[in-house]
Amino acid sequence: MRKSTTSCLCHILVCLCFIQRCYGASHHIPADKVTIAKNQTKLANGETEVHHRPKRGWIWNQFFVLEEHIGPDTQYVGKLHSNSDKGDGSVRYILSGEGAGSIFIINEVTGDIHATESLDRERKAHYVLHAQAFDRNTEKPLEPKSEFIIKVQDINDNAPTFPDGPFVAAVPEMSGVGTSVYQVTATDADDPTYGNSARVVYSILQGQPYFSVDPKTGVIRTALANMDREAREHYAVVIQAKDMAGSVGGLSGSTTINITLTDVNDNPPKFPQKNYQLYVPESAQVGKPVGKIKANDEDLGVNAEIKYSIINSEGAAMFSINTDRDTREGIISLKKPLNYERKKTYTLQIEGVNSHLEPLFSYLGPFKDTATLKITVGDVDEPPVFSMDYYIMDVYENARIGREVGAVTARDPDSKNSHVRYFIDHSEHSDKYFNIDMDSGVIKTTQSLDREDMPWHNITVIASEVDNPSLLSHVPVTVQVLDVNDNPPEINKDKEVIVCESSRPGQVIQTMTAVDKDDFANGQRFSFSLPSGVPVNPNFTLKDNEGLLQTPSGFLPEWSCIWLHPSSHQF
């Protein structure tokens, strides 16, 4: 049986989607494209044959609405329609769900859906709604409640951005062309699945010809060979990201990458001049710095560290050089004392060498330089110099007062050869046994000397220059007092001698001894005899054999013992 669509018992709700493209064109779905429900058959003459079913469902297609709509009128979205609608207003369409009644409104009579607001896909990409058709007279549903989606269609309304910019990067100087420096990545909030709105292409706006950027990956590379940090250290590179695959009309954003060339050892040390002069007084102390020299190196850090050395034997024998790590100067010190009168000038060949070398840049070498330093020794007014480090003299103890003991000599070491005067330092000894002639340096006695009382005398002689009395020199002088035989021997009288009457004649009853304060050279060899003028005791004899006392040949008196009391005698 064939029936027209107006008399169909199976009501079909037709969804006509009004799809707007991103370029603003509107397209209505043609009538021949309307989806036919499964319980209808379209005939050749255009009429629809209805197949009666007690139950059926419907399938909703997706609606689209273009984001960022501008204009005073609402934006048409699509149309809900039921084949039960005869156009007499008896069908009422109801819309519910996300944004229903506020963002999306429906004409209850026609089923037309409109958007009342400008939508932003980046904030919300789609809305889920529900549609129903009721009989206006009976309020009975003509179609069951069904769900459908309105999708917000993207337009290119977001420019690419670099959220983390600006950026900081570094690359070694002298790097080869194509060395990777940094990679930037731009983000685009547009829909990456629709068109080219989020398809980004990179280009360089500032930084050529030194750097380049890969248009697809955003990798920044060096584009110029042998970039020298010492010539230019910092570069501000501006990179642009443009959507729509870089085509005309695409939106763009940019960022800055601050690139620093890091240092490598590509510069040798260099002395500012080849010849230097330095004045050093001869009084300079050994081990103390006397001057400094510096070679310049345009590199930084360890690449600019320099080790100094003296490469000629003349200079190295008298001077040393060390590097000050803070100032990178060569500190020159004295190794041996200087003497203006012996040598007035020294020539030093000084070499400065980089401590850390990079084989990659060895072709730029050699990484060293030399300079000549001429040192002039300055004459300093020095104190007198004695001819000896110490003096030993001697004098006899019986010498008369004013007797010459000896002489000291000193001279002015300076070229002017100033006259020297001499003094004895009496601060050490209160007794003044000697004096010195201030002009000749001759030392004489001022008192009688007794070897037995003080055999040695230690004095200090001072020498000063007439032209500069404040310059003093000191020398020790030792005077030995020589012995003369001026002391008689003394007989030892510490013991008493007991002689028994039974002693035999000629028996030794005592050995007499004597002492002498003089030196062995002048004493200690004695002869013994009985003194004249003293009555001789016939009972005893004295033999000059180390002082032996004996009994004579005969008999002793009739007492049992004789007590002898030795006495001191001088011979």
Side-chain angles (χ1 to χ4, degrees):
M1 178 177 69
R2 302 175 67 185
K3 293 186 178 181
S4 65
T5 58
T6 58
S7 62
C8 179
L9 297 177
C10 298
H11 304 290
I12 302 298
L13 186 63
V14 181
C15 173
L16 301 177
C17 298
F18 184 77
I19 303 176
Q20 292 180 317
R21 303 297 179 187
C22 61
Y23 297 103
S26 301
H27 303 277
H28 293 280
I29 299 177
D32 58 350
K33 297 298 183 180
V34 177
T35 302
I36 307 300
K38 290 183 179 180
N39 59 341
Q40 295 182 357
T41 302
K42 188 172 183 179
L43 303 179
N45 59 3
E47 296 181 349
T48 302
E49 182 179 8
V50 179
H51 304 281
H52 296 279
R53 285 183 179 177
K55 294 181 179 180
R56 71 216 181 282
W58 52 21
I59 300 176
W60 289 99
N61 289 327
Q62 189 169 254
F63 285 87
F64 292 89
V65 61
L66 198 64
E67 69 169 334
E68 305 294 350
H69 174 71
I70 300 175
D73 300 329
T74 58
Q75 182 180 184
Y76 183 72
V77 179
K79 185 180 184 68
L80 299 179
H81 185 72
S82 172
N83 61 352
S84 297
D85 189 353
K86 299 180 176 56
D88 56 0
S90 61
V91 178
R92 184 163 65 94
Y93 297 96
I94 301 298
L95 188 66
S96 62
E98 293 181 327
S102 57
I103 299 176
F104 302 103
I105 59 175
I106 188 170
N107 189 313
E108 294 184 350
V109 177
T110 63
D112 291 329
I113 302 173
H114 288 80
T116 62
E117 298 179 7
S118 177
L119 303 179
D120 187 356
R121 185 199 68 83
E122 288 70 41
R123 295 181 60 186
K124 189 172 180 60
H126 67 275
Y127 297 83
V128 179
L129 296 99
H130 300 88
Q132 281 185 292
F134 292 88
D135 187 306
R136 189 178 294 276
N137 297 320
T138 64
E139 293 297 328
K140 292 182 179 182
L142 300 176
E143 300 290 346
K145 188 175 183 180
S146 182
E147 180 181 285
F148 68 98
I149 295 175
I150 297 179
K151 183 177 180 181
V152 181
Q153 190 168 353
D154 184 51
I155 65 171
N156 189 21
D157 60 339
N158 289 279
T161 61
F162 297 89
D164 299 327
F167 304 94
V168 175
V171 63
E173 63 173 330
M174 308 298 289
S175 294
V177 175
T179 301
S180 178
V181 180
Y182 197 78
Q183 183 177 19
V184 293
T185 302
T187 59
D188 195 310
D190 291 323
D191 188 356
T193 64
Y194 181 77
N196 292 325
S197 298
R199 185 180 174 187
V200 175
V201 172
Y202 300 95
S203 61
I204 185 167
L205 299 182
Q206 178 180 310
Q208 294 175 323
Y210 309 102
F211 300 93
S212 64
V213 65
D214 188 293
K216 295 182 179 180
T217 64
V219 174
I220 301 170
R221 301 181 185 276
T222 57
L224 189 65
N226 299 328
M227 284 190 289
D228 190 2
R229 184 200 65 82
E230 289 73 34
R232 181 177 177 182
E233 185 175 4
H234 301 288
Y235 296 83
V237 177
V238 179
I239 299 297
Q240 181 190 73
K242 189 174 185 180
D243 60 18
M244 298 301 293
S247 62
V248 177
L251 302 178
S252 64
S254 63
T255 188
T256 299
I257 301 91
N258 294 306
I259 300 176
T260 300
L261 297 184
T262 58
D263 187 59
V264 300
N265 191 9
D266 59 339
N267 291 281
K270 188 174 181 61
F271 288 100
Q273 57 195 64
K274 285 299 182 182
N275 295 284
Y276 295 85
Q277 291 186 351
L278 178 64
Y279 173 85
V280 180
E282 62 176 332
S283 59
Q285 297 182 23
V286 173
K288 298 295 184 179
V290 296
K292 57 187 178 180
I293 191 171
K294 184 178 182 180
N296 297 325
D297 194 316
E298 296 181 349
D299 295 319
L300 300 175
V302 297
N303 296 321
E305 290 183 0
I306 302 173
K307 181 180 179 181
Y308 297 94
S309 60
I310 301 173
I311 59 176
N312 67 316
S313 58
E314 176 190 354
M318 290 295 295
F319 299 90
S320 63
I321 187 168
N322 294 289
T323 303
D324 187 316
R325 292 187 176 275
D326 295 328
T327 63
R328 291 177 180 154
E329 295 174 320
I331 306 301
I332 303 168
S333 301
L334 188 63
K335 292 174 66 176
K336 297 179 181 179
L338 296 174
N339 190 322
Y340 171 82
E341 287 69 32
R342 293 182 181 178
K343 190 172 178 61
K344 297 179 174 57
T345 61
Y346 292 88
T347 300
L348 278 64
Q349 295 293 327
I350 299 177
E351 182 180 72
V353 181
N354 275 146
S355 303
H356 302 275
L357 302 179
E358 294 189 27
L360 184 62
F361 304 104
S362 60
Y363 68 94
L364 297 174
F367 286 83
K368 62 182 179 180
D369 195 20
T370 58
T372 300
L373 173 63
K374 183 178 181 180
I375 294 180
T376 300
V377 180
D379 187 19
V380 176
D381 195 3
E382 300 173 275
V385 178
F386 283 96
S387 61
M388 300 175 64
D389 295 333
Y390 61 91
Y391 292 85
I392 298 177
M393 304 176 184
D394 56 56
V395 62
Y396 284 102
E397 60 180 333
N398 62 352
R400 70 181 185 278
I401 296 174
R403 177 66 179 269
E404 181 178 326
V405 178
V408 296
T409 56
R411 64 177 182 84
D412 180 8
D414 300 315
S415 57
K416 61 183 180 180
N417 196 20
S418 175
H419 183 67
V420 177
R421 288 182 175 176
Y422 305 94
F423 308 90
I424 291 180
D425 185 3
H426 292 292
S427 63
E428 297 181 359
H429 305 284
S430 59
D431 297 333
K432 300 180 180 179
Y433 291 96
F434 305 92
N435 64 13
I436 191 170
D437 187 280
M438 64 186 314
D439 294 317
S440 65
V442 174
I443 300 173
K444 297 180 180 181
T445 60
T446 59
Q447 298 183 33
S448 296
L449 303 177
D450 188 355
R451 188 200 69 84
E452 289 72 34
D453 181 42
M454 185 179 296
W456 296 89
H457 293 267
N458 295 311
I459 61 176
T460 299
V461 175
I462 302 172
S464 67
E465 294 181 12
V466 174
D467 295 339
N468 191 353
S470 62
L471 295 176
L472 304 176
S473 295
H474 300 72
V475 68
V477 178
T478 300
V479 178
Q480 180 184 12
V481 180
L482 301 179
D483 185 52
V484 296
N485 192 7
D486 60 346
N487 290 282
E490 296 179 0
I491 295 176
N492 190 343
K493 56 182 180 177
D494 293 339
K495 297 180 181 181
E496 292 181 347
V497 180
I498 299 176
V499 181
C500 297
E501 62 179 341
S502 60
S503 297
R504 299 185 308 272
Q507 181 179 346
V508 176
I509 60 174
Q510 179 68 35
T511 300
M512 309 301 293
T513 60
V515 294
D516 194 318
K517 294 182 180 179
D518 292 323
D519 192 21
F520 275 104
N522 296 310
Q524 304 301 322
R525 298 180 63 84
F526 308 116
S527 64
F528 295 86
S529 63
L530 294 175
S532 61
V534 177
V536 177
N537 189 333
N539 294 316
F540 301 95
T541 60
L542 178 66
K543 182 180 180 180
D544 188 12
N545 182 17
E546 298 183 355
L548 294 177
L549 183 63
Q550 298 175 321
T551 59
S553 59
F555 296 95
L556 292 174
E558 293 182 352
W559 55 80
S560 59
C561 294
I562 297 177
W563 296 87
L564 297 179
H565 299 278
S567 60
S568 175
H569 298 279
Q570 295 184 355
F571 298 93

